[in-house]
């Protein structure tokens, strides 16, 4: 074979090897780029999912705090209502112990007698209330 043909064949093979090497490097670079982009997409998706989970937890905590506050307010309202009921009962008991019903007012003889007894009790209640609510010094 002629040296020229050998040179052409060797040059062609070298060129082919260079082309294959270039293609291999380009393929590896593209593979790396796609893998890197995929990894970033996965990380972004995970960050978005974590953000959503954190928002859900925060909303859940807020709802729980609101429920706790509502329950506490209801409990305090019930305690206050019970306290008011006890105070009224104590007031009524104190009035009943203090009030002396006039004789004959346990059995009314007439409508005017009933009015007289009721008025007596109302005046006594007003007097008792003034004494009962008087500031203690």
């Amino acid at each position: 074979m002629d040296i020229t043909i050998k040179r052409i064949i060797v040059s062609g093979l070298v060129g082919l090897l260079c082309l294959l090497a270039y293609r291999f490097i380009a393929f590896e670079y593209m593979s790396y780029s796609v893998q890197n982009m995929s990894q970033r997409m996965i990380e972004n998706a995970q960050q978005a999912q974590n953000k959503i989970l954190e928002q859900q937890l925060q909303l859940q905590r807020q709802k729980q705090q609101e429920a706790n506050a509502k329950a506490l307010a209801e409990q305090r309202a019930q305690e206050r209502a019970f306290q008011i009921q006890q105070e009224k009962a104590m007031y009524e008991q104190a009035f009943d112990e203090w009030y002396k019903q006039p004789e004959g007012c346990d059995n009314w003889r007439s409508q005017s007698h009933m009015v007289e007894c009721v008025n007596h009790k109302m005046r006594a209640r007003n007097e008792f209330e003034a004494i009962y609510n008087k500031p203690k010094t």
Side-chain angles (χ1 to χ4, degrees), residues 1-17:
M1 256 208 245
D2 190 7
I3 285 203
T4 317
I5 293 180
K6 285 183 182 179
R7 279 190 184 168
I8 292 174
I9 292 175
V10 169
S11 294
L13 287 174
V14 169
L16 185 61
L17 284 175

Side-chain angles (χ1 to χ4, degrees), residues 26-75:
F27 175 76
E28 285 297 319
Y29 178 74
M30 288 181 78
S31 175
Y32 169 77
S33 295
V34 168
Q35 187 177 15
N36 191 18
M37 186 172 59
S38 297
Q39 184 63 33
R40 281 185 283 155
M41 287 175 64
I42 290 171
E43 289 172 359
N44 288 342
Q46 287 175 341
Q47 287 175 353
Q49 185 178 16
N50 288 343
K51 188 174 181 179
I52 290 170
L53 287 174
E54 182 60 35
Q55 288 173 344
Q56 287 175 340
L57 286 173
Q58 186 176 0
L59 183 61
Q60 188 178 17
R61 277 187 239 120
Q62 184 180 3
K63 285 182 180 180
Q64 185 63 43
Q65 288 173 347
E66 290 172 0
N68 290 346
K70 184 178 179 182
L72 183 61
E74 287 176 6
Q75 180 184 0

Side-chain angles (χ1 to χ4, degrees), residues 111-127:
Q111 190 171 0
S112 63
H113 184 243
M114 174 197 67
V115 170
E116 183 182 321
C117 290
V118 169
N119 284 339
H120 182 272
K121 190 170 186 175
M122 286 173 53
R123 285 190 299 274
R125 186 174 290 276
N126 288 338
E127 181 183 344

